[in-house]
Short mmCIF file of all heavy atoms in Angstrom, two decimals:
data_model
loop_
_atom_site.label_atom_id
_atom_site.label_comp_id
_atom_site.label_asym_id
_atom_site.label_seq_id
_atom_site.Cartn_x
_atom_site.Cartn_y
_atom_site.Cartn_z
N THR A 1 100.45 110.74 98.04
CA THR A 1 99.77 111.85 97.38
C THR A 1 98.64 111.32 96.51
O THR A 1 98.77 110.28 95.84
CB THR A 1 100.73 112.68 96.50
OG1 THR A 1 101.29 111.85 95.47
CG2 THR A 1 101.86 113.27 97.33
N PHE A 2 97.52 112.05 96.54
CA PHE A 2 96.36 111.73 95.73
C PHE A 2 95.99 113.02 94.99
O PHE A 2 95.51 113.98 95.62
CB PHE A 2 95.19 111.27 96.60
CG PHE A 2 95.46 110.05 97.43
CD1 PHE A 2 96.06 110.15 98.68
CD2 PHE A 2 95.11 108.79 96.97
CE1 PHE A 2 96.32 109.03 99.45
CE2 PHE A 2 95.35 107.66 97.73
CZ PHE A 2 95.96 107.78 98.98
N ASN A 3 96.19 113.06 93.69
CA ASN A 3 95.91 114.24 92.88
C ASN A 3 94.89 113.90 91.79
O ASN A 3 95.08 112.94 91.04
CB ASN A 3 97.19 114.77 92.23
CG ASN A 3 98.15 115.37 93.24
OD1 ASN A 3 97.74 116.04 94.17
ND2 ASN A 3 99.43 115.10 93.08
N ASN A 4 93.84 114.70 91.73
CA ASN A 4 92.83 114.55 90.70
C ASN A 4 92.26 113.13 90.67
O ASN A 4 92.21 112.48 89.63
CB ASN A 4 93.40 114.91 89.32
CG ASN A 4 92.31 115.07 88.28
OD1 ASN A 4 91.17 115.43 88.59
ND2 ASN A 4 92.63 114.79 87.03
N ILE A 5 91.83 112.68 91.84
CA ILE A 5 91.14 111.39 91.95
C ILE A 5 89.64 111.68 92.01
O ILE A 5 89.20 112.52 92.80
CB ILE A 5 91.58 110.62 93.20
CG1 ILE A 5 93.11 110.57 93.32
CG2 ILE A 5 90.98 109.22 93.20
CD1 ILE A 5 93.81 109.83 92.21
N SER A 6 88.86 110.99 91.20
CA SER A 6 87.41 111.22 91.15
C SER A 6 86.66 109.95 91.53
O SER A 6 86.79 108.93 90.85
CB SER A 6 87.00 111.67 89.75
OG SER A 6 85.60 111.82 89.67
N PHE A 7 85.92 110.02 92.62
CA PHE A 7 85.06 108.90 93.02
C PHE A 7 83.66 109.20 92.51
O PHE A 7 82.91 110.00 93.09
CB PHE A 7 85.07 108.75 94.54
CG PHE A 7 86.41 108.34 95.10
CD1 PHE A 7 87.34 109.30 95.45
CD2 PHE A 7 86.75 107.00 95.24
CE1 PHE A 7 88.58 108.95 95.96
CE2 PHE A 7 87.99 106.64 95.74
CZ PHE A 7 88.91 107.61 96.09
N THR A 8 83.32 108.59 91.39
CA THR A 8 82.08 108.88 90.69
C THR A 8 81.45 107.57 90.22
O THR A 8 82.12 106.77 89.55
CB THR A 8 82.34 109.76 89.45
OG1 THR A 8 83.11 110.91 89.83
CG2 THR A 8 81.05 110.22 88.82
N PRO A 9 80.19 107.29 90.54
CA PRO A 9 79.57 106.04 90.11
C PRO A 9 79.53 105.90 88.59
O PRO A 9 79.44 106.89 87.86
CB PRO A 9 78.16 106.12 90.69
CG PRO A 9 78.24 107.12 91.78
CD PRO A 9 79.28 108.11 91.36
N ALA A 10 79.61 104.66 88.13
CA ALA A 10 79.50 104.37 86.69
C ALA A 10 78.08 104.65 86.21
O ALA A 10 77.13 104.71 87.00
CB ALA A 10 79.88 102.92 86.42
N LYS A 11 77.93 104.83 84.92
CA LYS A 11 76.62 105.06 84.32
C LYS A 11 75.68 103.91 84.68
O LYS A 11 76.02 102.73 84.55
CB LYS A 11 76.76 105.17 82.80
CG LYS A 11 75.45 105.53 82.10
CD LYS A 11 75.65 105.66 80.60
CE LYS A 11 74.33 106.00 79.91
NZ LYS A 11 74.50 106.12 78.44
N GLY A 12 74.49 104.27 85.16
CA GLY A 12 73.51 103.26 85.54
C GLY A 12 73.58 102.85 86.99
O GLY A 12 72.74 102.08 87.47
N TYR A 13 74.61 103.34 87.71
CA TYR A 13 74.78 103.02 89.12
C TYR A 13 74.81 104.30 89.95
O TYR A 13 74.97 105.40 89.42
CB TYR A 13 76.05 102.21 89.35
CG TYR A 13 75.95 100.79 88.84
CD1 TYR A 13 76.31 100.46 87.53
CD2 TYR A 13 75.47 99.77 89.66
CE1 TYR A 13 76.20 99.16 87.07
CE2 TYR A 13 75.35 98.46 89.20
CZ TYR A 13 75.72 98.17 87.90
OH TYR A 13 75.61 96.88 87.44
N HIS A 14 74.68 104.12 91.28
CA HIS A 14 74.57 105.28 92.16
C HIS A 14 75.59 105.28 93.29
O HIS A 14 75.62 106.23 94.08
CB HIS A 14 73.16 105.34 92.77
CG HIS A 14 72.08 105.50 91.76
ND1 HIS A 14 71.58 104.45 91.02
CD2 HIS A 14 71.41 106.61 91.33
CE1 HIS A 14 70.65 104.89 90.20
NE2 HIS A 14 70.52 106.19 90.36
N VAL A 15 76.41 104.25 93.42
CA VAL A 15 77.34 104.12 94.56
C VAL A 15 78.77 104.01 94.04
O VAL A 15 79.06 103.23 93.13
CB VAL A 15 77.01 102.88 95.42
CG1 VAL A 15 77.92 102.80 96.63
CG2 VAL A 15 75.55 102.92 95.87
N SER A 16 79.67 104.80 94.63
CA SER A 16 81.07 104.81 94.17
C SER A 16 81.99 103.97 95.04
O SER A 16 83.13 103.72 94.64
CB SER A 16 81.60 106.26 94.15
OG SER A 16 81.67 106.78 95.46
N SER A 17 81.54 103.55 96.22
CA SER A 17 82.39 102.75 97.08
C SER A 17 81.54 101.95 98.06
O SER A 17 80.53 102.45 98.57
CB SER A 17 83.37 103.63 97.87
OG SER A 17 84.13 102.86 98.79
N PHE A 18 81.98 100.74 98.35
CA PHE A 18 81.32 99.87 99.32
C PHE A 18 81.21 100.57 100.67
O PHE A 18 80.23 100.41 101.39
CB PHE A 18 82.12 98.59 99.45
CG PHE A 18 81.48 97.50 100.27
CD1 PHE A 18 80.80 96.46 99.66
CD2 PHE A 18 81.57 97.50 101.66
CE1 PHE A 18 80.21 95.45 100.42
CE2 PHE A 18 80.99 96.50 102.43
CZ PHE A 18 80.31 95.48 101.80
N ALA A 19 82.24 101.35 101.06
CA ALA A 19 82.22 102.10 102.32
C ALA A 19 82.87 103.46 102.10
O ALA A 19 82.37 104.27 101.34
CB ALA A 19 82.91 101.30 103.43
N ASP A 20 84.04 103.71 102.74
CA ASP A 20 84.74 104.99 102.57
C ASP A 20 85.35 105.11 101.18
O ASP A 20 85.48 104.11 100.45
CB ASP A 20 85.87 105.12 103.60
CG ASP A 20 85.37 105.10 105.03
OD1 ASP A 20 84.15 105.14 105.24
OD2 ASP A 20 86.22 105.03 105.94
N CYS A 21 85.77 106.33 100.84
CA CYS A 21 86.55 106.52 99.61
C CYS A 21 88.04 106.33 99.91
O CYS A 21 88.62 105.33 99.52
CB CYS A 21 86.28 107.89 99.02
SG CYS A 21 84.61 108.11 98.36
N ILE A 22 88.66 107.28 100.62
CA ILE A 22 90.07 107.15 101.00
C ILE A 22 90.16 106.95 102.51
O ILE A 22 89.61 107.74 103.28
CB ILE A 22 90.88 108.40 100.59
CG1 ILE A 22 91.01 108.48 99.07
CG2 ILE A 22 92.26 108.39 101.23
CD1 ILE A 22 91.74 109.71 98.55
N HIS A 23 90.83 105.88 102.91
CA HIS A 23 90.99 105.56 104.33
C HIS A 23 92.48 105.38 104.61
O HIS A 23 93.14 104.55 104.00
CB HIS A 23 90.22 104.29 104.68
CG HIS A 23 90.00 104.10 106.14
ND1 HIS A 23 88.79 104.31 106.76
CD2 HIS A 23 90.84 103.72 107.13
CE1 HIS A 23 88.89 104.08 108.05
NE2 HIS A 23 90.13 103.72 108.30
N ILE A 24 92.99 106.17 105.56
CA ILE A 24 94.41 106.16 105.92
C ILE A 24 94.53 105.75 107.37
O ILE A 24 93.98 106.42 108.26
CB ILE A 24 95.05 107.55 105.73
CG1 ILE A 24 94.73 108.14 104.35
CG2 ILE A 24 96.54 107.50 106.02
CD1 ILE A 24 95.48 107.53 103.21
N CYS A 25 95.25 104.67 107.66
CA CYS A 25 95.43 104.23 109.05
C CYS A 25 96.91 104.00 109.34
O CYS A 25 97.57 103.24 108.64
CB CYS A 25 94.65 102.94 109.30
SG CYS A 25 94.91 102.26 110.96
N GLY A 26 97.42 104.67 110.37
CA GLY A 26 98.79 104.43 110.82
C GLY A 26 99.82 104.75 109.76
O GLY A 26 100.69 103.93 109.47
N CYS A 27 99.75 105.92 109.18
CA CYS A 27 100.73 106.31 108.17
C CYS A 27 101.56 107.48 108.69
O CYS A 27 101.16 108.20 109.60
CB CYS A 27 100.04 106.68 106.86
SG CYS A 27 99.29 105.25 106.03
N LYS A 28 102.74 107.68 108.09
CA LYS A 28 103.64 108.75 108.55
C LYS A 28 104.14 109.55 107.35
O LYS A 28 103.75 109.31 106.21
CB LYS A 28 104.82 108.16 109.33
CG LYS A 28 105.76 107.28 108.52
CD LYS A 28 106.91 106.79 109.40
CE LYS A 28 107.90 105.94 108.61
NZ LYS A 28 109.04 105.49 109.43
N GLY A 29 105.02 110.51 107.65
CA GLY A 29 105.47 111.39 106.58
C GLY A 29 104.38 112.39 106.25
O GLY A 29 103.97 113.15 107.12
N TYR A 30 103.90 112.35 105.02
CA TYR A 30 102.82 113.26 104.64
C TYR A 30 101.73 112.51 103.89
O TYR A 30 101.97 111.49 103.25
CB TYR A 30 103.34 114.43 103.80
CG TYR A 30 104.04 114.03 102.52
CD1 TYR A 30 103.32 113.60 101.40
CD2 TYR A 30 105.43 114.08 102.40
CE1 TYR A 30 103.95 113.24 100.22
CE2 TYR A 30 106.07 113.72 101.23
CZ TYR A 30 105.33 113.29 100.14
OH TYR A 30 105.95 112.92 98.97
#
């Protein structure tokens, strides 16, 4: 579960992640 997660660049910067934000591969359940 991911609740109230904010991907927001720091002051003075413009990029929040090198690539994707959340990446899910081969997971089960929910």
Side-chain angles (χ1 to χ4, degrees):
T1 61
F2 300 86
N3 291 320
N4 193 28
I5 311 296
S6 176
F7 294 89
T8 308
K11 185 178 179 181
Y13 288 90
H14 298 80
V15 183
S16 66
S17 176
F18 188 99
D20 299 351
C21 292
I22 290 177
H23 197 104
I24 310 285
C25 176
C27 291
K28 65 179 182 178
Y30 59 76

